[in-house]
Amino acid sequence: MKTRCIIVSLLALGLLLCGCAAARKKVSRETFAMDTFVTLTACGPQAEQALDECVRALSRWEALLSTTLSGSNVSRVNAAAGALTPVSRETAEALEAAISASELTGGAFDVTVYPLVDAWGFLTDAPRVPEAETLRAALEKVDYQHLALTGGGVRLPAGMGVDLGGIAKGCASDWLADILRAQGVKSAILNLGGNVYALGKRPEGGKWRVGVTDPAESGSVAGVIEASDTAVVTSGAYQRGFTEENVYYHHILNPKTGMPADSDLISATVVSKSGARADALSTALFVLGEAEAISLWERDGSFDMILITDDGRILVSGALSFTPAEGTPYRVERIG
Ligand code: AMP
Ligand code: MG
C-alpha cells in the first residue's frame, strides 16, 4: 500500500513537472509582414496553434492596412476622391486610434500624412528631397480634421490620403495579444520591428525584459525595461532615412512643416497598455521634442516614456522600471 502510494505520488510529481516544462517551452515564429521582420514567441501547450493563427492574421491585416498594396482598405480610401469608402472593422479601429492620437498630440501625429510621405518618396525604393512647390502642395493636403469616420465607412476630400505606417504595427500587436489570450496563451513576447508587446510574465517567472536600442549604436541597447501586459515602442530618426548631398533625411515628418522632424530627441520610447497608443505616441513624441513631450506626459497620464536626447541624456518618466546598460554613455534623469 505504502509503495503504491509512493509510486502514485512520484507519477503525479512527474506529470506536474512535465506540465511545468510544457508551460515553459518557448515556441517562436518568424515572418516578414507590414514591411518589417516579426518575431513572435509564446509559451504553453496552445502556443504552436495560436502562433500559426497569428501569422495568418498578420497577412490579413497587412492586406487591409497597407498604403502600397492596391486593393487594401487604405489604398481604396486614398483613391476614393471624396466618396464614402466602406472599410473592415480592423481598419476602422486603426483609424479611430489614429484620430484619437492626432487629437491628443495636436496633430504632431497625423494619419493624413500620406501626401507628404508620397512627396518624399518614402513608399518607394528611391526616396528624395521634393521640390519646394511639391512639398507646399502636399502640406496643404495634410489635416486629420478632414478625415471622417462613420458607421458607413471613411470619407476624405480628394487629393488627401491616409498612411497608417506610424500606428499599424502597434494595432497589430494589440490584436495579436487578443488572439493569444483567446487561445489560452498566458505568456508571450511579440516583436514587430521594434514594436514590442509583452504578454503576461516570462515562463521562468518575473516580468519580460525589453531592450531599448541605443540610437547611436543600433545592435546594442541603452537599457532595459521590465514589462508585463504592456507595449514598448520606439521611434527614432535612425530607423529609416536616406542621404542626399551629405544630408541625412529621416522618415518621421513634421506635419506642420512637411520636413523630417527637426527634433532634439534621437529616440522616443513609449510604454503603454495599448500598442496602438504606444506606436502613435512614440512617433508623435519624436516630432514634439523634449519639452512638449514632457508636458504631454504630465497632462495625459496614460503612458510612460523614455526619451534619449541629442545632448546625451536618457529621461525616464514616472516609476518606470528602467535599468541603464552597463557603461552607457548617457546620463539618466528621472522626470515626474
Ligand atoms: P514610426 O516608425 O512608428 O515612428 O512611424 C513612422 C512612419 O509613420 C513613417 O514611415 C510614415 O509612414 C508615417 N509617419 C511619418 N510621420 C508621421 C507623422 N507625423 N504622423 C503620423 N505618421 C507619420
Ligand atoms: Mg509609431
Side-chain angles (χ1 to χ4, degrees), residues 212-223 238 266-267 308 327-330:
V212 177
T213 299
D214 179 348
E217 221 172 308
S218 57
S220 55
V221 295
Y238 67 95
I266 48 177
S267 81
I308 307 190
T328 184
Y330 302 99

Side-chain angles (χ1 to χ4, degrees), residues 294 297-298 304-305 316-319 333-336:
I294 292 175
W297 174 77
E298 285 168 345
D304 265 304
M305 64 184 186
V316 183
S317 76
E333 292 175 9
R334 287 268 165 193
I335 47 173

